[in-house]
Amino acid sequence: MTIKRQYSSPNCKLILEGLSQNTDSSPLNGLPLMSILINSECHFLNSDKIISGGLDFFKNFVKAVSSYSQEFLSGIPHPIETHSDTDKVVLQKVEGKDLHHLIWESPDNNEKVEMDLTTVQLFDLVETVDQFLADPLTLPDIKWNVQPVSRRYRQIDEPLVKRATPVGLGVAGLALTGVALLFAPIPEEMKDPNRQPSPQPNPSETLPNTQAPNSGEPTPQPNQEK
Amino acid sequence: MPDKSNPDGERPVVLEQLPDFPVSSPRAHVRIQQKIDLILLALEALELGGSEYMLKTAKELQLKNIIKNRVILWRLRCSNPWRRSYTRDELSLEQAKGLVAIACSRANQLKVLIRQLLIAEHQMKEKGFPLESNFRLSEYLERFRAHFASRMNPRRAKVAFYLADETALNELALSLLRELLFCGGVKGKERFWISLFDGEVE
């Protein structure tokens, strides 16, 4: 028996169709557990555009929407590991506008959907995904897995250009000084007029007397005064 | 943000829903505290008597042990370094979670108003009208600017920048309003809490 689950918000509707591996009903409220996904569709109510696909698409869709909403809240980009190269869903900020660009390209029939979402529409999209993530009876293998990104993803508060300017100016100044000094003439050696020529050494005066001094004086003897 | 467990009784459920993360540096604490206070400031600009509603929400969420009264709430919010009366206190993990839980609960209550204001903002910008042409939006922005000017320390460079540039301050108010919309969602509390630690963990 096919199970159908629907999650909706004012601007968005998410429909999942799937099967249950286990025929037993859940003891919670009698609803069966959807464990196999056949098809998923996301309808945008302000337009007639639909994005849809199987399990790969849905995993990528959930991951992209969830990561982008965190990125929106913190302003720090989240890396997305997609489950397959096809059926990718991409959400990007539209620069200078309060809009979010959604792109999805279907792998089989080359259908491409591109649309701009306002922040309220983006929130509605996130809401439908979060309603699904909060539902323990639908595809429990796709779990809530949101974690903060580490420090290395943090963009520096000051732009690189601004931070590099003082260093660049310093290096450039040093380089210019070096180049200018290359053209400067090498100073000639100046003779100091006060400097006297150094006297020539006289070997007879300077040679040390290697002979033992023989001055005739007696060598003091120990115990002489005894 | 050391975790000071509640000695008086069981931990409120709302705190259990928010995970603990190790914060990398003291600067990270400051940024988190600043963001929480600004989000609460935006809530105050949305509804008159906002702090009273926050205290009421603290009681409903069984957070009375963390936020006992108005003075405690004010002291916790003064951990924002932009404040005139910055206390240099560091929020404990439970205090931060408590304030986030209150903010998200209030945002959920005010979801309809927040949506209306953001839709109005989009329409005004699309038509090229000034934001002040919409009465409710103008009221929100005006209140936010007044709260910001009266409570933040103008000797802080960033505060001085915002006080000198009304457009930038309006944009700050609108960006906080957009975040409040997400705070009021099904998993808004968890999403906002985790977003505070983005780029702050090892």
mmCIF file of all heavy atoms in Angstrom, chain A residues 52-72:
data_model
loop_
_atom_site.group_PDB
_atom_site.id
_atom_site.type_symbol
_atom_site.label_atom_id
_atom_site.label_comp_id
_atom_site.label_asym_id
_atom_site.label_seq_id
_atom_site.Cartn_x
_atom_site.Cartn_y
_atom_site.Cartn_z
ATOM 1 N N SER A 52 10.923 17.783 -8.290
ATOM 2 C CA SER A 52 10.573 16.436 -7.828
ATOM 3 C C SER A 52 11.686 15.444 -8.134
ATOM 4 O O SER A 52 12.588 15.723 -8.938
ATOM 5 C CB SER A 52 9.276 15.988 -8.498
ATOM 6 O OG SER A 52 9.482 15.903 -9.890
ATOM 7 N N GLY A 53 11.608 14.302 -7.486
ATOM 8 C CA GLY A 53 12.597 13.261 -7.728
ATOM 9 C C GLY A 53 12.504 12.148 -6.713
ATOM 10 O O GLY A 53 11.607 12.152 -5.857
ATOM 11 N N GLY A 54 13.454 11.222 -6.812
ATOM 12 C CA GLY A 54 13.473 10.082 -5.908
ATOM 13 C C GLY A 54 14.281 10.353 -4.659
ATOM 14 O O GLY A 54 14.401 11.502 -4.220
ATOM 15 N N LEU A 55 14.876 9.300 -4.130
ATOM 16 C CA LEU A 55 15.562 9.407 -2.845
ATOM 17 C C LEU A 55 16.792 10.323 -2.911
ATOM 18 O O LEU A 55 17.002 11.137 -2.026
ATOM 19 C CB LEU A 55 15.972 8.012 -2.364
ATOM 20 C CG LEU A 55 16.530 7.942 -0.949
ATOM 21 C CD1 LEU A 55 15.510 8.375 0.092
ATOM 22 C CD2 LEU A 55 17.028 6.540 -0.623
ATOM 23 N N ASP A 56 17.586 10.199 -3.985
ATOM 24 C CA ASP A 56 18.784 11.043 -4.110
ATOM 25 C C ASP A 56 18.402 12.518 -4.135
ATOM 26 O O ASP A 56 19.016 13.349 -3.473
ATOM 27 C CB ASP A 56 19.555 10.688 -5.388
ATOM 28 C CG ASP A 56 20.432 9.471 -5.169
ATOM 29 O OD1 ASP A 56 20.625 9.094 -4.002
ATOM 30 O OD2 ASP A 56 20.903 8.894 -6.168
ATOM 31 N N PHE A 57 17.374 12.803 -4.946
ATOM 32 C CA PHE A 57 16.906 14.191 -5.023
ATOM 33 C C PHE A 57 16.468 14.669 -3.643
ATOM 34 O O PHE A 57 16.843 15.752 -3.202
ATOM 35 C CB PHE A 57 15.733 14.304 -6.009
ATOM 36 C CG PHE A 57 14.881 15.525 -5.757
ATOM 37 C CD1 PHE A 57 15.297 16.771 -6.178
ATOM 38 C CD2 PHE A 57 13.670 15.426 -5.061
ATOM 39 C CE1 PHE A 57 14.535 17.903 -5.925
ATOM 40 C CE2 PHE A 57 12.901 16.549 -4.811
ATOM 41 C CZ PHE A 57 13.341 17.785 -5.238
ATOM 42 N N PHE A 58 15.679 13.846 -2.975
ATOM 43 C CA PHE A 58 15.105 14.295 -1.706
ATOM 44 C C PHE A 58 16.191 14.529 -0.645
ATOM 45 O O PHE A 58 16.131 15.499 0.106
ATOM 46 C CB PHE A 58 14.059 13.287 -1.214
ATOM 47 C CG PHE A 58 13.302 13.786 -0.023
ATOM 48 C CD1 PHE A 58 12.494 14.917 -0.123
ATOM 49 C CD2 PHE A 58 13.415 13.167 1.210
ATOM 50 C CE1 PHE A 58 11.813 15.405 0.988
ATOM 51 C CE2 PHE A 58 12.733 13.653 2.308
ATOM 52 C CZ PHE A 58 11.930 14.765 2.195
ATOM 53 N N LYS A 59 17.179 13.630 -0.615
ATOM 54 C CA LYS A 59 18.278 13.824 0.356
ATOM 55 C C LYS A 59 19.025 15.121 0.059
ATOM 56 O O LYS A 59 19.342 15.895 0.971
ATOM 57 C CB LYS A 59 19.252 12.644 0.277
ATOM 58 C CG LYS A 59 18.766 11.410 1.019
ATOM 59 C CD LYS A 59 19.804 10.312 0.904
ATOM 60 C CE LYS A 59 19.412 9.099 1.725
ATOM 61 N NZ LYS A 59 20.335 7.972 1.501
ATOM 62 N N ASN A 60 19.300 15.343 -1.225
ATOM 63 C CA ASN A 60 19.996 16.582 -1.607
ATOM 64 C C ASN A 60 19.150 17.819 -1.291
ATOM 65 O O ASN A 60 19.663 18.840 -0.847
ATOM 66 C CB ASN A 60 20.320 16.576 -3.109
ATOM 67 C CG ASN A 60 21.409 15.577 -3.442
ATOM 68 O OD1 ASN A 60 22.154 15.161 -2.572
ATOM 69 N ND2 ASN A 60 21.487 15.184 -4.705
ATOM 70 N N PHE A 61 17.869 17.699 -1.531
ATOM 71 C CA PHE A 61 16.928 18.803 -1.288
ATOM 72 C C PHE A 61 16.906 19.179 0.200
ATOM 73 O O PHE A 61 17.049 20.353 0.569
ATOM 74 C CB PHE A 61 15.538 18.363 -1.786
ATOM 75 C CG PHE A 61 14.410 19.267 -1.405
ATOM 76 C CD1 PHE A 61 14.224 20.483 -2.027
ATOM 77 C CD2 PHE A 61 13.513 18.883 -0.415
ATOM 78 C CE1 PHE A 61 13.163 21.310 -1.679
ATOM 79 C CE2 PHE A 61 12.452 19.700 -0.067
ATOM 80 C CZ PHE A 61 12.288 20.922 -0.696
ATOM 81 N N VAL A 62 16.761 18.164 1.051
ATOM 82 C CA VAL A 62 16.701 18.411 2.502
ATOM 83 C C VAL A 62 18.016 19.041 2.982
ATOM 84 O O VAL A 62 18.017 20.014 3.738
ATOM 85 C CB VAL A 62 16.403 17.094 3.267
ATOM 86 C CG1 VAL A 62 16.587 17.272 4.773
ATOM 87 C CG2 VAL A 62 14.989 16.624 2.965
ATOM 88 N N LYS A 63 19.116 18.482 2.506
ATOM 89 C CA LYS A 63 20.434 18.966 2.919
ATOM 90 C C LYS A 63 20.645 20.423 2.469
ATOM 91 O O LYS A 63 21.116 21.259 3.251
ATOM 92 C CB LYS A 63 21.508 18.068 2.294
ATOM 93 C CG LYS A 63 22.907 18.359 2.706
ATOM 94 C CD LYS A 63 23.251 17.665 3.984
ATOM 95 C CE LYS A 63 24.643 18.054 4.449
ATOM 96 N NZ LYS A 63 24.875 17.710 5.831
ATOM 97 N N ALA A 64 20.276 20.693 1.216
ATOM 98 C CA ALA A 64 20.491 22.052 0.680
ATOM 99 C C ALA A 64 19.644 23.075 1.428
ATOM 100 O O ALA A 64 20.146 24.143 1.811
ATOM 101 C CB ALA A 64 20.153 22.073 -0.811
ATOM 102 N N VAL A 65 18.382 22.754 1.666
ATOM 103 C CA VAL A 65 17.486 23.711 2.333
ATOM 104 C C VAL A 65 17.931 23.926 3.781
ATOM 105 O O VAL A 65 18.003 25.057 4.267
ATOM 106 C CB VAL A 65 16.017 23.206 2.266
ATOM 107 C CG1 VAL A 65 15.108 24.075 3.118
ATOM 108 C CG2 VAL A 65 15.524 23.185 0.823
ATOM 109 N N SER A 66 18.259 22.824 4.447
ATOM 110 C CA SER A 66 18.648 22.911 5.848
ATOM 111 C C SER A 66 19.957 23.703 6.010
ATOM 112 O O SER A 66 20.061 24.578 6.875
ATOM 113 C CB SER A 66 18.808 21.493 6.390
ATOM 114 O OG SER A 66 18.937 21.527 7.764
ATOM 115 N N SER A 67 20.933 23.397 5.163
ATOM 116 C CA SER A 67 22.225 24.097 5.265
ATOM 117 C C SER A 67 22.084 25.578 4.932
ATOM 118 O O SER A 67 22.680 26.426 5.590
ATOM 119 C CB SER A 67 23.243 23.483 4.309
ATOM 120 O OG SER A 67 23.501 22.171 4.663
ATOM 121 N N TYR A 68 21.276 25.868 3.904
ATOM 122 C CA TYR A 68 21.146 27.268 3.507
ATOM 123 C C TYR A 68 20.435 28.091 4.593
ATOM 124 O O TYR A 68 20.759 29.267 4.791
ATOM 125 C CB TYR A 68 20.401 27.388 2.171
ATOM 126 C CG TYR A 68 20.385 28.809 1.658
ATOM 127 C CD1 TYR A 68 21.524 29.390 1.118
ATOM 128 C CD2 TYR A 68 19.229 29.589 1.757
ATOM 129 C CE1 TYR A 68 21.525 30.696 0.685
ATOM 130 C CE2 TYR A 68 19.215 30.902 1.315
ATOM 131 C CZ TYR A 68 20.366 31.456 0.782
ATOM 132 O OH TYR A 68 20.359 32.758 0.359
ATOM 133 N N SER A 69 19.495 27.459 5.282
ATOM 134 C CA SER A 69 18.801 28.220 6.332
ATOM 135 C C SER A 69 19.772 28.559 7.470
ATOM 136 O O SER A 69 19.692 29.641 8.060
ATOM 137 C CB SER A 69 17.584 27.461 6.850
ATOM 138 O OG SER A 69 17.980 26.417 7.678
ATOM 139 N N GLN A 70 20.714 27.641 7.769
ATOM 140 C CA GLN A 70 21.730 27.939 8.795
ATOM 141 C C GLN A 70 22.655 29.048 8.318
ATOM 142 O O GLN A 70 23.030 29.932 9.069
ATOM 143 C CB GLN A 70 22.543 26.686 9.119
ATOM 144 C CG GLN A 70 21.759 25.593 9.813
ATOM 145 C CD GLN A 70 21.033 26.070 11.051
ATOM 146 O OE1 GLN A 70 19.814 26.060 11.082
ATOM 147 N NE2 GLN A 70 21.748 26.511 12.067
ATOM 148 N N GLU A 71 22.996 28.970 7.026
ATOM 149 C CA GLU A 71 23.849 29.992 6.422
ATOM 150 C C GLU A 71 23.163 31.358 6.476
ATOM 151 O O GLU A 71 23.790 32.377 6.738
ATOM 152 C CB GLU A 71 24.097 29.574 4.972
ATOM 153 C CG GLU A 71 25.228 30.276 4.300
ATOM 154 C CD GLU A 71 25.484 29.707 2.913
ATOM 155 O OE1 GLU A 71 25.472 28.471 2.748
ATOM 156 O OE2 GLU A 71 25.665 30.504 1.987
ATOM 157 N N PHE A 72 21.872 31.344 6.243
ATOM 158 C CA PHE A 72 21.094 32.586 6.273
ATOM 159 C C PHE A 72 21.117 33.182 7.683
ATOM 160 O O PHE A 72 21.263 34.393 7.856
ATOM 161 C CB PHE A 72 19.649 32.293 5.847
ATOM 162 C CG PHE A 72 18.738 33.467 5.981
ATOM 163 C CD1 PHE A 72 18.730 34.473 5.029
ATOM 164 C CD2 PHE A 72 17.888 33.584 7.070
ATOM 165 C CE1 PHE A 72 17.897 35.571 5.166
ATOM 166 C CE2 PHE A 72 17.058 34.679 7.212
ATOM 167 C CZ PHE A 72 17.058 35.671 6.259
#
